Amino acid sequence: MDETCVNVKRLDENEEQCTDEDKTDQDKTEEKLISSNECSRKPWQESRSRIRECVLYVKKVLVFFASMEWYCYALLGIITALMSFFMDMTVAKLLNAHQWLYRCLKGHHLLQFLCWTLYPACLCALSTSFAHSICPFSAGSGVPEARAILLGMDMPDYLSLSNLFAKLFGLICTLASGSTVFLGKVGPFVHLSVMVGAFMSRLHVSCRGGKQRAAKGEMLVVASAVGVASCFGAPVSGVLFSIEVMGTHYSVRNYCPCFFAAACGAITFRLLSVCSTDQETIQALFKTSFSSDLPYQPFEIFIFVLLGLFCSILSCIYLFCHRWALRFVKTNKPISRLLATEKSLYSAIVAFLLACFTFYHSAGHFIASELTMKQLLTSLLDDTSWYSVSQNASALPEPQKTFWQAWNPPGKSYFQTLGFFITAKVGLLVVACTLPLPAGYFMPVFVYGAAVGRLVGEGSAYFLSDGISSAKSLINPGGYALAGAAAFSGAVTHTLSPALLALEMTGQCSHAVPALVATLVSNAVARAKHRPSFYDGISLIKKLPHLPSLIRACPKLANVQIKQFVIPAGVVLERTETLASLKHILNDSADNEFPVVDSHDSPILLGTINKSQLREHLHQHRNEGLCKQLEEVCSIHPVRLHLTPESTVKQAHCIMSATGEQRLFITESGRLCGVITWKEMKKIIEEMAKEV
């Protein structure tokens, strides 16, 4: 009876298994039918396959001439130049609309006041609200954050697509506010270029089938050079900017890609200007016509040196006020509470106050407030002396006559206007730097330096109105404005690239030596006593993990040794390790590289071996005895880079960020002491940033 019951149960189980198998078979057939129906529903399959074949063929042809990364570099330059050009075109239309409305209200002071103040206030509020609602990381310049990213810090929010669109729209609104707010474009645009470079890097990786080069951040370094080149059509100074500002070291392999991408961006930007009839041919952005026969006398070199000293003193005052203002806004409870809850309201209030001060019928007629940023720089770089213009101002053509009337208002001289411009703009620019919106600070500093140089040049032209020496050559104030712009902006940023940028922007090489001399002198004074630069100050205020900025603020950090941060090396192989033990190590360990020592008792570091190579060697010798030793079947790679416990954190950081190494071995007299990893290095720098 029991046997029959068991048999019946087995039959029932078999029937259930059969029915389950039938159900699974039916499900599989239904899935196949559904998938086939879905595949058949895809439209234009033949056309899609042909397009795919054409794309693969084009890719094959392109790769035949050059590798895909060079096409990515060219595309990076072209896309960035297109962004820069259309941004300038949009901003120009908005500024023209504002000026047209202001002129239409001539004679109605109240309406002109409302037009002058509410327009930039609304634009700044819109820029702030849009930027912070889409991506709160889009405010500010973006250069300090990009520098930290290029040194290997993980900050993915600053490279996101939402940040790209928020910063792009916010920057257009900021620039459309005009010279009232007195903010620029260079810093945020470099950040935008770096974000585009990050997407180009992903495109390059996908084109290579997921194989990424060992060079970390190469595309981002190239993108930083393209950002400057696409702003001014200046490829050489763009590359120099990426070397000086964006990193503490520069890899030689990035040299040619930087120049290639920067040249693509600069050429595209200038060609677009020609196509839009803004320029008749490819030329400098701020074309000047200095005399090349006798541009300056040897005696004037001493005046340029004094100009560099004057610019360095003013830069120290400006940087001190800038850092003080940022700390004050951060520590003052009412302002910090307002910035935490109502950023748009804060931007509107500050922009409104700045506009009230720069209104023509208040203090604006003392600082040529009716001129845009581009008009300010063009008027300051004019080679005609204003002293000679004052003798016969009615014969001036346009737009020189408009510029002269702006700098020489009724009842005031141009010396008073330039002096008040230099005095007032420091405070206005410091206040504008506290606005929580996408904005650049290089171009305002550049224009400010041009005003300082113009004042020195006009003073020299006034006292030497009869010419210099027997040659009777007259002073060229525009040359002093050029040197002053380079010197002051170089002192603020602690770089020499503004000297070359000034020459490329103006197409004027006759004043290359004076501009470089003034920039060198101003840099020498500004860098004294480890003073932080403009970007270093922002990094310190924001507590960004940027080691060079931390070292400038606290030079003692340069001597911090790594022996207190060394961690164990993990799995260490002996030279006489057997194949049997190697199999267990491969199964248990997650490391990709193993250090090899002479023995555990005498851990003399012999080299390293990769996990993939070790697995391959074990597969080749799988039929041999497991008693064979490591040195008999594998080749040990010598260690190229290793440090001692007395090495500093600065040295380890420079080596790891330059080579892309994820860990470095620490040895003492050849004996392995441990390792320091890139993850541990980032923790160290973050802790330093919190303490400083």
Side-chain angles (χ1 to χ4, degrees), residues 72-82 226 230 260-262 264-266 268-269:
C72 290
Y73 294 145
L75 189 61
L76 171 63
I78 293 170
I79 292 175
T80 309
L82 287 169
V226 173
S230 300
F260 176 73
C264 290
T268 304
F269 180 75

Side-chain angles (χ1 to χ4, degrees), residues 573 592-594 596 608-611 613-614 630 634-635 637:
L573 303 181
N592 294 323
E593 189 181 38
F594 303 103
V596 181
T608 61
I609 184 168
N610 293 329
K611 188 174 185 178
Q613 294 178 350
L614 187 59
L630 174 65
C634 299
S635 58
H637 304 289

Side-chain angles (χ1 to χ4, degrees), residues 628-682:
K628 279 200 170 186
Q629 297 180 353
L630 174 65
E631 60 182 354
E632 296 177 2
V633 297
C634 299
S635 58
I636 301 172
H637 304 289
V639 179
R640 295 179 301 164
L641 299 170
H642 57 89
L643 300 173
T644 62
E646 287 74 25
S647 300
T648 61
V649 173
K650 180 182 177 181
Q651 293 172 341
H653 179 265
C654 288
I655 292 173
M656 297 177 83
S657 57
T659 60
E661 296 286 343
Q662 293 300 310
R663 66 174 182 174
L664 291 175
F665 294 104
I666 312 300
T667 61
E668 187 174 10
S669 301
R671 299 168 65 91
L672 181 63
C673 302
V675 296
I676 182 168
T677 62
W678 180 246
K679 186 177 180 180
E680 188 69 22
M681 180 64 66
K682 290 190 288 186

Side-chain angles (χ1 to χ4, degrees), residues 578-580 583 618 621-629 632-633:
T578 61
L579 297 182
K583 284 186 176 181
L618 287 177
H621 298 83
R622 64 185 181 276
N623 296 326
E624 301 179 12
L626 296 178
C627 296
K628 279 200 170 186
Q629 297 180 353
E632 296 177 2
V633 297

Side-chain angles (χ1 to χ4, degrees), residues 199-520:
F199 291 108
M200 287 295 105
S201 179
R202 296 176 191 174
L203 176 64
H204 176 222
V205 172
S206 63
C207 290
R208 292 174 61 91
K211 296 179 181 178
Q212 191 172 10
R213 288 186 58 178
K216 187 177 181 180
E218 181 175 338
M219 189 71 73
L220 303 185
V221 175
V222 175
S224 62
V226 173
V228 178
S230 300
C231 275
F232 305 111
V236 182
S237 55
V239 175
L240 188 58
F241 174 86
S242 69
I243 295 174
E244 289 186 305
V245 176
M246 302 306 292
T248 55
H249 61 275
Y250 192 78
S251 180
V252 179
R253 65 170 174 260
N254 299 334
Y255 189 71
C256 288
C258 277
F259 266 111
F260 176 73
C264 290
I267 292 172
T268 304
F269 180 75
R270 294 189 179 185
L271 285 176
L272 289 171
S273 299
V274 174
C275 295
S276 64
T277 66
D278 288 343
Q279 296 178 351
E280 295 181 357
T281 183
I282 295 179
Q283 60 183 8
L285 189 62
F286 297 93
K287 185 66 178 175
T288 56
S289 56
F290 295 170
S291 175
S292 58
D293 296 333
L294 191 62
Y296 55 89
Q297 289 284 347
F299 171 77
E300 293 184 68
I301 294 294
F302 296 100
I303 305 179
F304 285 110
V305 171
L306 294 176
L307 174 61
L309 288 173
F310 187 39
C311 287
S312 64
I313 295 171
L314 289 177
S315 70
C316 293
I317 296 173
Y318 166 69
L319 290 176
F320 174 79
C321 295
H322 174 256
R323 289 193 293 271
W324 178 85
L326 292 181
R327 289 194 183 96
F328 176 78
V329 169
K330 196 173 182 179
T331 55
N332 186 268
K333 290 184 178 180
I335 297 179
S336 61
R337 192 180 301 113
L338 182 63
L339 281 171
T341 55
E342 299 292 341
K343 291 183 174 64
S344 301
L345 179 61
Y346 175 83
S347 297
I349 292 173
V350 172
F352 180 80
L353 294 177
L354 292 174
C356 290
F357 184 85
T358 58
F359 182 53
Y360 181 79
H361 297 287
S362 58
H365 65 286
F366 294 118
I367 56 175
S369 61
E370 291 186 335
L371 299 181
T372 63
M373 192 86 74
K374 188 173 182 178
Q375 291 173 339
L376 282 172
L377 189 56
T378 303
S379 62
L380 292 170
L381 292 175
D382 188 15
D383 60 336
T384 306
S385 173
W386 290 347
Y387 174 76
S388 61
V389 170
S390 62
Q391 309 300 323
N392 189 16
S394 59
L396 277 177
E398 292 290 342
Q400 282 83 1
K401 190 173 183 179
T402 304
F403 297 160
W404 166 251
Q405 291 173 352
W407 287 107
N408 196 64
K412 301 293 178 182
S413 69
Y414 55 88
F415 282 110
Q416 293 174 317
T417 307
L418 283 171
F420 190 74
F421 181 92
I422 293 170
T423 305
K425 278 296 181 181
V426 171
L428 296 177
L429 185 54
V430 167
V431 173
C433 289
T434 63
L435 290 171
L437 44 74
Y441 312 108
F442 178 83
M443 200 60 188
V445 167
F446 195 85
V447 175
Y448 184 87
V452 175
R454 187 79 192 193
L455 179 63
V456 174
E458 290 293 345
S460 302
Y462 178 79
F463 289 110
L464 301 172
S465 57
D466 295 331
I468 304 174
S469 72
S470 59
K472 299 297 181 182
S473 61
L474 299 177
I475 295 288
N476 177 11
Y480 286 87
L482 182 72
F488 186 75
S489 54
V492 169
T493 58
H494 290 187
T495 57
L496 299 178
S497 55
L500 184 58
L501 178 63
L503 302 179
E504 284 192 286
M505 284 173 59
T506 58
Q508 194 65 51
C509 297
S510 60
H511 281 70
V513 173
L516 185 59
V517 168
T519 308
L520 285 170

